[in-house]
């Protein structure tokens, strides 16, 4: 079913698992991502940055996600990731996105509260879910760098959600966007304190750099949405380089692109399976 983030996270909260949220970077990636989630019976959040949304076309993304969600027996949420402008949020909602993230984390607290509330009011009217953020996540995403993240303080998170009733809350616990060469030291104690301070389902960004062995601990501490982006780009690009580099220029494109899509599906199947609660196994190099 094509659905919003709220019921998907409510079910994850009830049963006690985490939902994988995977960044699509082109339209090609979307069908294999949804099919991979179907294979293991997990709900999936397909998310795009505003930049990718404009590159692919918001309506095109909605059309593919909607039609696949109807054909495949799996819950699919289409989510706008890290939107900082109201225009992007309005356009995504008008196009049919079922969920949006408003990222006001770089603004002063009061401004983040006021802007997040405006987005929630607008989105709720249209039946769309909203994720907000408190604390900032460092690293590089879509070429935009935030030098140093600022860890989320539990008291500040509690004060924030008292005023901002969103469907999901992104928190900063030591992860960084775009870190694919090493693993991040996440602050599980901080996460536990945030979890005890706020009832909202928590979101971890910068998932590529998180050790898979830590997933169980994250789920146990209230993480219900977990974002993975860079690992999919790396998987797609490596497979595409291999195939494009090994074939003649006139080779049918699908011969080169299908292996790249398969590599993405493999990552989604693996991660979504782990999020549903299977035992972590050794990660590929
Ligand atoms: P990574 O690219 O580090 O996996 O982070 C993805 C993300 O958090 C998207 O918001």
């Amino acid at each position: 079913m094509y659905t919003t983030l709220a019921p998907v996270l409510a079910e994850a909260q009830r049963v006690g698992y985490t939902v994988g949220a995977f960044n699509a970077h082109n339209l090609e990636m979307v069908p294999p991502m949804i099919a991979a989630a179907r294979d293991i019976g997990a709900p999936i959040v397909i998310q795009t940055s505003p930049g990718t949304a404009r590159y692919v076309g918001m309506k095109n993304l909605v059309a593919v996600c909607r039609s696949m969600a109807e054909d495949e027996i799996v819950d699919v949420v289409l989510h706008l990731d890290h939107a900082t402008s109201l225009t992007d949020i309005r356009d995504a909602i008008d196009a049919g996105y079922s969920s949006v993230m408003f990222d006001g984390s770089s603004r002063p607290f009061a401004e983040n509260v006021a802007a997040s509330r405006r987005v929630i009011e607008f989105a709720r009217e249209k039946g769309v879910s909203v994720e907000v953020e408190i604390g900032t996540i460092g690293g590089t995403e879509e070429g935009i760098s935030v030098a140093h993240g600022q860890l989320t303080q539990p008291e500040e998170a509690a004060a924030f959600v008292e005023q901002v009733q969103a469907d999901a809350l992104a928190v900063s616990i030591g992860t960084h966007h775009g870190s694919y060469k090493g693993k991040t030291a996440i602050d599980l104690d901080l996460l536990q304190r945030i979890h005890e301070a706020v009832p909202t389902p928590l979101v971890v960004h910068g998932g590529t750099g998180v050790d898979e062995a830590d997933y169980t601990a994250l789920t146990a501490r209230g993480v219900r949405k977990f974002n993975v982006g860079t690992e999919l780009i790396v998987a797609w690009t490596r497979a595409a380089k291999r195939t494009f580099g090994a074939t003649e220029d006139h080779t049918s494109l699908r011969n080169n692109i299908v292996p790249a899509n398969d590599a993405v599906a493999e990552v989604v199947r693996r991660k979504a399976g782990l999020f549903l609660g299977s035992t972590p196994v050794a990660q590929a190099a």
Side-chain angles (χ1 to χ4, degrees), residues 86 89 102-105 107-122 130 132-134 159-165:
L86 230 51
I89 285 177
F102 172 69
D103 181 357
S105 63
R107 305 182 185 207
F109 182 86
E111 264 185 45
N112 189 3
V113 167
S116 298
R117 286 174 65 126
R118 264 202 308 281
V119 169
I120 291 169
E121 197 179 324
F122 174 74
V130 180
V132 291
E133 178 171 325
I134 188 81
F160 189 69
V161 302
E162 217 168 88
Q163 299 178 67
V164 178
Q165 269 98 51

Side-chain angles (χ1 to χ4, degrees), residues 260-281:
N261 291 344
D262 287 348
V264 162
E266 189 51 44
V267 174
V268 172
R269 247 191 314 273
R270 175 188 174 86
K271 304 255 179 216
L274 292 172
F275 297 143
L276 272 189
S278 56
T279 316
V281 290

